[in-house]
């Protein structure tokens, strides 16, 4: 696995925050390969997608081309939850949760089994 912020970053405030956190290892906005979402698609802009522009690592031009040709999709922030859970539901134990929810190695193994 890898940390998604090493491969792509949201433009705008997301980039500013990522640059602040990553410091000297952050990829300059001018070096990133730009991809843009189609705001008419379900899940974008008014449909719930908060961002319509992303920057990819400069070494991933092949993935940028595949995305632009409609041959690649990005799925960000996916995980192993059994069902949607709010903080209150988590604290009350009222929802089913995956085993070892905060254990990186178990969550990685679970993600590989999907």
């Amino acid at each position: 696995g890898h940390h998604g912020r090493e491969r792509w970053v949201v433009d705008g405030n997301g980039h500013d925050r990522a640059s602040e956190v990553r410091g000297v290892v952050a990829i300059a906005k001018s070096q990133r390969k730009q991809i843009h979402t189609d705001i008419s698609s379900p899940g974008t802009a008014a449909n719930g997608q908060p961002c319509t522009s992303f920057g990819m690592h400069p070494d991933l031009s092949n993935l940028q081309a595949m995305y632009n040709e409609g041959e690649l999709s990005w799925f960000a922030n996916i995980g192993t939850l059994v069902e949607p859970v709010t903080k209150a539901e988590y604290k009350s134990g009222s929802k089913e949760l995956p085993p070892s929810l905060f254990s990186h190695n178990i969550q990685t193994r679970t993600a590989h089994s999907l």
Side-chain angles (χ1 to χ4, degrees):
H2 70 275
H3 190 281
R5 296 291 185 209
E6 295 173 359
R7 303 295 183 257
W8 63 272
V9 67
V10 175
D11 278 346
N13 292 337
H15 176 263
D16 297 340
R17 177 73 180 129
S19 294
E20 178 184 318
V21 170
R22 297 193 55 80
V24 297
V25 298
I27 299 168
K29 188 173 183 177
S30 62
Q31 294 178 329
R32 294 177 299 160
K33 300 293 183 185
Q34 297 296 305
I35 59 171
H36 304 279
T37 61
D38 177 358
I39 64 168
S40 65
S41 297
T44 57
N47 294 317
Q49 170 64 30
C51 312
T52 58
S53 181
F54 299 86
M56 297 174 58
H57 191 282
D59 292 340
L60 300 178
S61 58
N62 58 331
L63 296 182
Q64 178 195 31
M66 290 174 66
Y67 179 86
N68 290 339
E69 293 167 6
E71 297 176 6
L72 176 79
S73 294
W74 287 107
F75 292 91
N77 300 323
I78 61 170
T80 61
L81 288 179
V82 177
E83 59 186 327
V85 178
T86 67
K87 186 174 183 179
E89 292 166 337
Y90 168 78
K91 285 184 170 187
S92 72
S94 64
K95 293 284 185 128
E96 183 179 357
L97 299 172
S100 304
L101 182 59
F102 297 105
S103 170
H104 183 75
N105 64 326
I106 301 298
Q107 294 303 301
T108 299
R109 188 176 335 139
T110 303
H112 288 168
S113 71
L114 296 176

